[in-house]
Structures are given as structure tokens and as C-alpha cells.
Amino acid sequence: MHVHRFERVWLVAALGMIVLFVGTVTYGAVVAGYGMVDAEGGQVDTTDPAASEDFREPGVYEGSEPGHYDVYVETRRFAFVPGTADPIRVPANSTVTFHVASVDVLHGFEVAGTNINTMAIPGQKAVVTAEFDEPREYGLVCNEYCGEGHHDMAGTLEVVPEPEFDASTEVQ
């Protein structure tokens, strides 16, 4: 059977692209540490996530280790609680785990300028952890269209110097 030269070129190019795509996904999953969204966060009551067993009232809590904080955030049309009316405040040089739940519709939770980006699905809890080394202000953005006020859904995360962080008033 004779295969024309141009057909061989296109066949090799197509197979090369397939290998490249599979290699890219494998690299992202194994080497770079990117993962798929899973059920790690658990489920919550959509009407009142804080009533669920593994979700607290929205706010900042001290974690199980020194320098670790847990931040519980409810997303709702069209605000982050806390985050929109009151900024989320955490100290610099800390590890922060965000527990995010939606009480109404699908929302996004992105901390602009970081690698924190997750979906808040009604009935589900998303868990994302990041380290904040330097004092800085970050924007919170909903990156999933959630209704007519979506463009106004924004908030603030303030990473403050450690001496300025008063755990007695800022941590619940």
C-alpha cells in the first residue's frame, strides 16, 4: 500500500500534536501539581452552610498549627462574606486555607494576583490553601457569571504585617 508523502507528513504532525497534548496534561498533573476539583471539601447546606458539620460561621479562625489560618467564606449574590463589606485580614508569613461555599448560585472565588481560583458550587465546599509572605492587598473576584450584579461582586483580602495583626480581635 502506498501512502502519499503529504499524507505521511500530516499523519506524523497529527500524532505529534496528540503526544504533545497528552504530555502537557501529564506534566500539569504530575510535575506542576495541578489537580482536578474533587469532593475533598464536602457538602454543605445551601440555605445555611454554617449549620453544616464541617463549615463554620464566615470569618477567620486560627488553624491547628502556628501561622496557619482557616478562612470561611460564603458567596452570595453579589458579595463575599467576609470580603465585600469587611475585608478578610490575615497576617503576613502565614498559610491560609480558604473554605468557600455558595448559598444561592454558582460563583467563582479568585484572589487576584495569586494561584487561588476555585468555583463555589451550591451545596459543595471548596478548599484552597496558599501562603502569604508579604503584606499586600489582594482583590477578590467572582469569575463565574452569577446574575445581573455579577460585575459588582468584588472584595478585599488584606495581608498585614505580623505586628499589626491582632488575633484577639480579628480571629474568631
Coordinates of all heavy atoms in Angstrom, one line a residue, residues 5 8 40 45 57 100 158:
R5 N 3.4 11.1 0.3 CA 4.3 11.8 1.2 C 3.6 12.9 2.0 O 3.9 13.0 3.2 CB 5.4 12.5 0.3 CG 6.5 13.1 1.2 CD 7.5 13.7 0.3 NE 6.9 15.0 -0.2 CZ 7.5 16.0 -0.7 NH1 8.8 16.0 -0.7 NH2 6.9 17.1 -1.1
R8 N 1.7 11.3 4.8 CA 2.6 10.9 5.9 C 3.0 12.1 6.8 O 3.0 12.0 8.0 CB 3.9 10.2 5.4 CG 3.7 8.7 5.2 CD 5.0 8.1 4.8 NE 4.9 7.9 3.4 CZ 5.9 8.1 2.5 NH1 7.1 8.4 3.0 NH2 5.8 8.0 1.3
E40 N -13.1 16.7 48.1 CA -12.4 16.8 49.3 C -13.1 17.8 50.3 O -13.1 17.6 51.5 CB -11.0 17.4 49.0 CG -10.2 17.7 50.2 CD -8.9 18.4 49.9 OE1 -8.2 18.0 48.9 OE2 -8.5 19.3 50.6
D45 N -25.1 22.6 53.7 CA -26.5 23.0 53.5 C -26.5 24.3 52.7 O -25.9 25.3 53.1 CB -27.1 23.2 54.9 CG -28.6 23.6 54.8 OD1 -29.1 23.7 53.7 OD2 -29.1 23.9 55.9
E57 N -19.1 29.5 60.9 CA -19.6 30.9 60.5 C -18.5 31.6 59.7 O -17.3 31.4 60.0 CB -19.9 31.7 61.8 CG -21.1 31.2 62.6 CD -22.4 31.5 61.8 OE1 -22.5 32.5 61.1 OE2 -23.3 30.7 61.9
V100 N -14.8 27.7 51.0 CA -15.7 28.5 50.2 C -17.0 27.8 49.9 O -16.9 26.6 49.4 CB -15.1 29.1 48.9 CG1 -16.0 30.0 48.2 CG2 -13.7 29.7 49.2
E158 N -6.7 41.5 52.8 CA -5.6 42.3 53.3 C -4.6 41.4 54.1 O -5.0 40.8 55.1 CB -6.1 43.4 54.2 CG -6.9 44.4 53.6 CD -7.5 45.5 54.6 OE1 -7.2 45.4 55.8 OE2 -8.1 46.4 54.1

